[in-house]
Amino acid sequence: MITETACSVPPLVVDDLGKSYGENHVLCGISLRVNPGEVIAIVGPSGVGKTTLLRTLTGLMPPSKGQVVVGNSVVTEPIPEIGLVFQDYRGSLMPWMTTMENVVLPLKGKKISKHEQQSRARSCLADVGLTGCEDMYPWELSGGMQQRVAIARALAYDAHILLMDEPFGSLDAQTRFDLEDLVLDLRKRLNISVIVVTHDIDEAVYLADRIVVLHGSPATVIDSVPVELGDVRDQVTTKNMPEFGKLRGHILNEVRRKL
């Protein structure tokens, strides 16, 4: 349920971001810009600080240096424009709530009627292909369907920027492929921006318009690679393109290289 203002939503701008925990410096000098409708993948070695960066972008934790800006607003706390989808979909959904109730949950604090809350939730469930599942509980849904509920909940909050932390890592291959295609479809239909943290290089190349590589300690951006594979992508055709293989090899070398 993205409103018509989505087309004019401003970019997300990260300016010289740093994050430290005492003497432990995790991120340093991170700068990037995410334009409306753009998909950015963030990759890097395990433990480099990808999730820390994502949580800082959402406003869940403050940066130690620099800032995150959406429009004219500095992000210092979670805002409606940014939705977050976690890897652990089972932990993010309330098991005693129906699908509808889970999607409506973040809308409870908004000054909108119950009818509008439910209408928005139904629209977002339709966006992710879950029409007819409103009264089902999480334990009645497959893992892929539960993650679709989590995506619908983020969209219902009127998020125009979707941040995803290893969202498909715990799912089987076929379900992961289906949800990758769902993300690309949502981007096309709703003009949302997506920032996805992933350890899967194939997934990064398939989804992204641009891949940001983090490396080092503290982590910095060592590369920002445009992905020019066209707007229409297919799990078989796209992944068999020579360009796909070249990009995959380049990104893998960047992630694995010694600094």
Side-chain angles (χ1 to χ4, degrees):
M1 175 58 185
I2 302 296
T3 65
E4 61 183 8
T5 59
C7 293
S8 59
V9 67
L12 181 148
V13 179
V14 183
D15 182 23
D16 195 27
L17 189 76
K19 181 63 181 177
S20 301
Y21 301 99
E23 297 300 315
N24 181 22
H25 304 298
V26 181
L27 304 172
C28 178
I30 306 292
S31 296
L32 60 92
R33 176 189 177 97
V34 184
N35 294 313
E38 189 175 23
V39 179
I40 302 294
I42 298 175
V43 301
S46 179
V48 78
K50 300 185 295 294
T51 295
T52 296
L53 173 59
L54 206 65
R55 290 177 179 268
T56 305
L57 299 185
T58 65
L60 287 173
M61 59 173 60
S64 303
K65 181 186 178 184
Q67 61 184 8
V68 180
V69 180
V70 176
N72 296 319
S73 301
V74 177
V75 179
T76 58
E77 60 184 4
I79 60 175
E81 290 85 354
I82 298 177
L84 180 60
V85 178
F86 298 97
Q87 177 181 359
D88 185 9
Y89 51 85
R90 290 161 294 194
S92 67
L93 300 180
M94 305 301 147
W96 60 88
M97 291 183 174
T98 64
T99 296
M100 172 67 76
E101 291 168 339
N102 267 290
V103 176
V104 165
L105 183 61
L107 303 179
K108 295 293 186 181
K110 287 197 167 189
K111 295 180 180 179
I112 57 177
S113 68
K114 183 177 180 180
H115 174 77
E116 172 61 21
Q117 291 175 11
Q118 293 184 341
S119 175
R120 187 179 295 188
R122 286 193 182 91
S123 176
C124 290
L125 285 169
D127 284 334
V128 300
L130 289 181
T131 297
C133 298
E134 292 85 355
D135 296 327
M136 298 177 71
Y137 289 89
W139 48 269
E140 297 179 289
L141 304 173
S142 68
M145 293 171 75
Q146 290 182 52
Q147 194 63 304
R148 287 172 184 258
V149 175
I151 294 171
R153 184 172 58 189
L155 295 176
Y157 199 58
D158 213 14
H160 307 310
I161 304 166
L162 197 61
L163 274 56
M164 312 182 82
D165 187 10
E166 300 278 9
F168 314 135
S170 59
L171 299 169
D172 65 89
Q174 185 56 56
T175 301
R176 185 166 66 248
F177 296 159
D178 290 343
L179 289 177
E180 288 171 359
D181 289 336
L182 172 66
V183 168
L184 293 179
D185 179 59
L186 290 172
R187 183 271 293 268
K188 181 179 179 180
R189 288 191 287 114
L190 306 180
N191 197 41
I192 59 173
S193 306
V194 181
I195 304 173
V196 57
V197 162
T198 180
H199 66 275
D200 188 321
I201 304 302
D202 283 14
E203 182 171 270
V205 176
Y206 183 73
L207 285 176
D209 300 306
R210 183 158 41 100
I211 301 174
V212 173
V213 184
L214 298 184
H215 216 314
S217 182
T220 60
V221 175
I222 65 164
D223 207 350
S224 181
V225 183
V227 179
E228 298 175 347
L229 296 176
D231 294 333
V232 179
R233 301 185 186 182
D234 175 82
Q235 290 287 348
V236 176
T237 304
T238 302
K239 290 181 178 178
N240 279 327
M241 294 171 64
E243 296 88 345
F244 187 97
K246 291 178 182 178
L247 281 167
R248 181 184 184 279
H250 174 72
I251 298 299
L252 186 58
N253 283 331
E254 292 283 75
V255 170
R256 298 182 66 185
R257 72 172 170 158
K258 304 295 184 181
L259 295 182

